[in-house]
Amino acid sequence: MTEQAVASGLALLGVPPLPDLDAIDRHITELDEAAARHQALATESGQVLRLASANSGPAADAANAHVTGRDGTAATADDLAHRLSVTAGTLRSTRGVLVWVGGLLAGLGLLAVAAAVHAPQLLPRLRMLAARFSFRLREIIARIGALMRSMSTTLTNRRVDKIASRFHDRWRAPRKLSGNTYEPRVKTTTDSAWIKKHSTDQVDIANTRYRSLPADWQRENRESARIGVQLVDEARASGVNVRSERFMEEASSVVHDRWLARNGSWASEEQRRPYELLSQAEKEKDRDVIRTVLGI
């Protein structure tokens, strides 16, 4: 009865229904769980490092760099765990304010129901108060939306970088030599920040991890990863079976079209063909983008 009275009162005041707190609680739970998973990954990375430190040599050095480097597993997992935890805490605090403002509006709604019967002359003043609180409520909801979008963007960017890194590692894998090094592939970069830091515009892209590459030599892998993530996420949101052959071919066709739009000026004659007319070897390159996003 009270909920019905509140809804009636809010309607009298011209205030929309109060927000669903259950949805916010679900977001908080998801953020807490994600923070715990990444913190566990950071801890496990430390255990891997302790095992590697018992040995010496190129492999141990590589493990140490992979785990403890600026962009290593431990640093990135710990940083993301912190970001997720802070976001969850901010959302909890914001939820508290939301409950408080919502409570005030609910109270005004009940007063409006009583005023409509016994003192209708009070309704204009109640509407004015309700408008102020409703404005505040919209501000809070907008802040929550911005917070979640920001975190979603952060998570997507991390995912894109992780997949782009896999593309780079797969490319250089056939060039691997003994001693955990690779057959050199020196290229020129135009990334001014990278040039300033390294005092050269020459970069051995084969012996450089993805995260340490100049921006212009990260770009192609990152664009492919971004497009793949976007295609998979949009398909999942639409209820499409992303493991189906049909999705694989349709998504791979888009990957090819986007690649050609970026690289058509130097693509070979075969690579300029529509996806359906490509050789199986060329199609596999596009399919591999989608497979990597799906973790196949």
Side-chain angles (χ1 to χ4, degrees):
M1 181 65 182
T2 302
E3 290 183 5
Q4 185 177 353
V6 169
S8 298
L10 292 177
L12 282 171
L13 298 173
V15 175
L18 297 177
D20 178 15
L21 294 178
D22 289 341
I24 296 174
D25 290 335
R26 285 194 296 272
H27 284 314
I28 292 173
T29 299
E30 290 167 358
L31 288 166
D32 282 337
E33 291 174 350
R37 286 196 300 271
H38 283 84
Q39 193 58 60
L41 178 59
T43 301
E44 290 169 5
S45 297
Q47 293 170 350
V48 169
L49 178 61
R50 283 193 291 275
L51 290 173
S53 63
N55 302 290
S56 59
D61 293 341
N64 182 54
H66 177 70
V67 173
T68 63
R70 181 176 61 85
D71 297 312
T73 304
T76 55
D78 189 62
D79 175 62
L80 192 50
H82 175 70
R83 287 171 181 261
L84 289 163
S85 182
V86 168
T87 301
T90 303
L91 203 53
R92 281 192 185 87
S93 300
T94 306
R95 182 193 185 281
V97 178
L98 195 62
V99 169
W100 177 69
V101 176
L104 291 175
L105 280 170
L108 287 174
L110 292 174
L111 284 174
V113 170
V117 176
H118 303 291
Q121 70 275 12
L122 293 178
L123 284 175
R125 185 167 184 180
L126 290 175
R127 287 194 183 100
M128 188 165 54
L129 287 171
R132 292 178 184 173
F133 288 126
S134 182
F135 176 76
R136 177 61 175 156
L137 193 66
R138 288 195 299 272
E139 280 188 328
I140 296 170
I141 293 172
R143 188 178 302 167
I144 291 174
L147 186 66
M148 297 309 298
R149 285 192 297 274
S150 174
M151 180 49 63
S152 176
T153 299
T154 296
L155 293 174
T156 298
N157 286 340
R158 293 293 181 96
R159 190 167 153 221
V160 166
D161 281 338
K162 186 176 181 180
I163 292 167
S165 180
R166 288 178 186 170
F167 290 159
H168 179 63
D169 287 341
R170 287 186 184 183
W171 167 80
R172 64 179 182 158
R175 309 176 71 89
K176 192 165 186 178
L177 306 172
S178 60
N180 205 41
T181 59
Y182 298 81
E183 179 187 347
R185 184 74 180 275
V186 178
K187 294 287 185 177
T188 301
T189 178
T190 58
D191 183 344
S192 58
W194 194 95
I195 294 171
K196 182 178 180 181
K197 180 178 179 180
H198 296 86
S199 301
T200 179
D201 64 353
Q202 300 297 293
V203 53
D204 182 354
I205 61 174
N207 284 286
T208 304
R209 290 193 305 138
Y210 169 79
R211 289 183 178 275
S212 299
L213 287 170
D216 50 353
W217 286 102
Q218 287 183 340
R219 188 175 299 120
E220 182 55 39
N221 283 331
R222 199 172 199 285
E223 275 301 295
S224 292
R226 184 187 63 78
I227 291 165
V229 166
Q230 181 181 7
L231 290 169
V232 169
D233 286 354
E234 288 179 353
R236 281 175 171 158
S238 301
V240 173
N241 178 8
V242 296
R243 302 281 174 169
S244 67
E245 182 179 350
R246 178 179 177 179
F247 170 75
M248 176 61 73
E249 291 305 292
E250 290 178 349
S252 298
S253 179
V254 175
V255 169
H256 174 68
D257 290 344
R258 301 283 182 85
W259 180 89
L260 194 57
R262 297 192 305 274
N263 302 291
S265 62
W266 60 266
S268 67
E269 183 178 348
E270 181 187 0
Q271 290 171 328
R272 292 193 183 112
R273 296 173 184 170
Y275 177 80
E276 311 82 61
L277 301 180
L278 292 175
S279 66
Q280 286 300 316
E282 286 297 327
K283 285 183 177 180
E284 279 299 302
K285 295 177 183 178
D286 300 314
R287 292 168 183 153
D288 191 51
V289 171
I290 303 302
R291 291 193 189 105
T292 303
V293 175
L294 292 173
I296 299 176

